[in-house]
Amino acid sequence: MVYYFKTRCGEYTIYMGKDKYENESLIKYGLPEDCWFHVDDLSSAHVYLRLKPGMTLDDIPPDCLLDCCSLVKANSIVGCKQSFVYVVYTRWQNLKKTNDMVDGAVGYHRPQNVRRTKVEKNNTIVRQIEKTKQELYPDLAKEQEQRNREIIAQKKAFRREEEKAKRLEEVRLAREREERSYDRIMKDENMIRNSGDRTTTIPLANTTTSNQQQLDNIFVLEE
């Protein structure tokens, strides 16, 4: 069972497992948009904030950050009794789980990407969040698989758009080169006529006619 909450602003979802065994599933089947929260150096629930696609840790609104930190503090047996605690948070993808770790324990792929913040007890915020609580039984593996398919499809669509834009640019450049080539043909010094043993330049208008029309403008006058 997974507990779901809404942030006070109503725009983001917070969720956490019922116990350490449920936490194992959350660690395994998180989504790329998930941000993980835990009380530093104390036992606590694993709280997750589901960000919107493309968001970074820097994009988390301060109120949402406070919501998650307050909730994870309230769900720490020791931390909930203290006036303040420190909370660590990082992207779900940065969580590292090895076979020798006990249930609920995690490490980090990149410790430098873990942030730490101080949070004070705030029962008012916790009560507001808990009013939105839902107890659900999601198929976490299926949700992860579906999201991964969506990401793959989006990447393919993006590559197709890039390739299309590249082809259009190549066509545009080719046309520009062709037009410049026509301009050189149409220059006055290239438009000549034969006059016995001498040549005379015949000025022609610089137009954007077709290849055949431009060639028709190049003619020789016999005296």
Side-chain angles (χ1 to χ4, degrees):
M1 180 170 60
V2 179
Y3 298 132
Y4 288 88
F5 308 86
K6 281 293 183 180
T7 56
R8 286 175 294 159
C9 67
E11 295 184 12
Y12 300 89
T13 297
I14 302 173
Y15 68 95
M16 66 181 186
K18 178 181 179 181
D19 51 38
K20 63 181 181 181
Y21 303 108
E22 191 71 37
N23 286 335
E24 287 298 298
S25 295
L26 298 183
I27 294 169
K28 184 176 181 180
Y29 296 114
L31 302 187
E33 293 81 17
D34 291 341
C35 181
W36 171 88
F37 293 79
H38 196 276
V39 175
D40 195 20
D41 295 329
L42 293 176
S43 175
S44 77
H46 291 218
V47 171
Y48 293 82
L49 172 66
R50 182 147 296 168
L51 301 176
K52 298 176 182 180
M55 289 182 65
T56 68
L57 295 182
D58 291 329
D59 298 324
I60 300 176
D63 285 349
C64 292
L65 185 63
L66 181 57
D67 289 351
C68 295
C69 292
S70 299
L71 187 61
V72 75
K73 179 187 182 303
N75 285 274
S76 170
I77 296 175
V78 177
C80 68
K81 301 173 184 177
Q82 299 181 4
S83 59
F84 71 89
V85 296
Y86 285 93
V87 172
V88 291
Y89 62 102
T90 190
R91 300 303 294 259
W92 165 77
Q93 291 174 317
N94 193 34
L95 299 181
K96 180 181 180 182
K97 184 73 178 182
T98 57
N99 294 330
D100 59 335
M101 291 180 176
V102 298
D103 291 335
V106 295
Y108 311 111
H109 294 289
R110 295 181 177 85
Q112 67 272 21
N113 291 344
V114 179
R115 301 192 180 185
R116 186 171 183 263
T117 186
K118 179 181 177 180
V119 59
E120 298 179 350
K121 180 181 290 188
N122 195 321
N123 292 331
T124 301
I125 290 178
V126 174
R127 284 194 295 268
Q128 285 181 274
I129 297 172
E130 287 183 339
K131 288 180 180 179
T132 68
K133 182 178 178 180
Q134 288 184 299
E135 299 179 3
L136 303 175
Y137 296 85
D139 187 336
L140 298 173
K142 185 176 180 180
E143 287 183 359
Q144 186 187 70
E145 181 182 0
Q146 180 179 351
R147 181 58 184 141
N148 288 340
R149 286 200 299 266
E150 290 174 354
I151 292 173
I152 292 173
Q154 290 169 358
K155 288 181 177 179
K156 287 182 178 178
F158 179 74
R159 285 196 295 269
R160 286 196 296 269
E161 288 300 318
E162 278 192 326
E163 292 171 357
K164 180 180 178 180
K166 182 180 179 181
R167 289 195 298 269
L168 290 174
E169 179 66 9
E170 290 174 349
V171 171
R172 185 186 69 81
L173 292 175
R175 287 176 178 172
E176 286 186 354
R177 289 193 297 268
E178 187 177 11
E179 289 174 358
R180 287 195 297 268
S181 177
Y182 289 163
D183 288 343
R184 285 195 297 270
I185 294 175
M186 298 298 294
K187 282 183 179 180
D188 291 345
E189 58 266 30
N190 290 329
M191 310 307 297
I192 62 174
R193 65 173 182 170
N194 290 334
S195 180
D197 58 351
R198 71 178 189 279
T199 60
T200 303
T201 298
I202 300 177
L204 293 175
N206 186 12
T207 62
T208 56
T209 56
S210 65
N211 289 354
Q212 185 58 47
Q213 288 173 319
Q214 293 185 43
L215 291 175
D216 290 341
N217 286 334
I218 303 175
F219 51 91
V220 178
L221 300 179
E222 296 290 344
E223 287 188 347

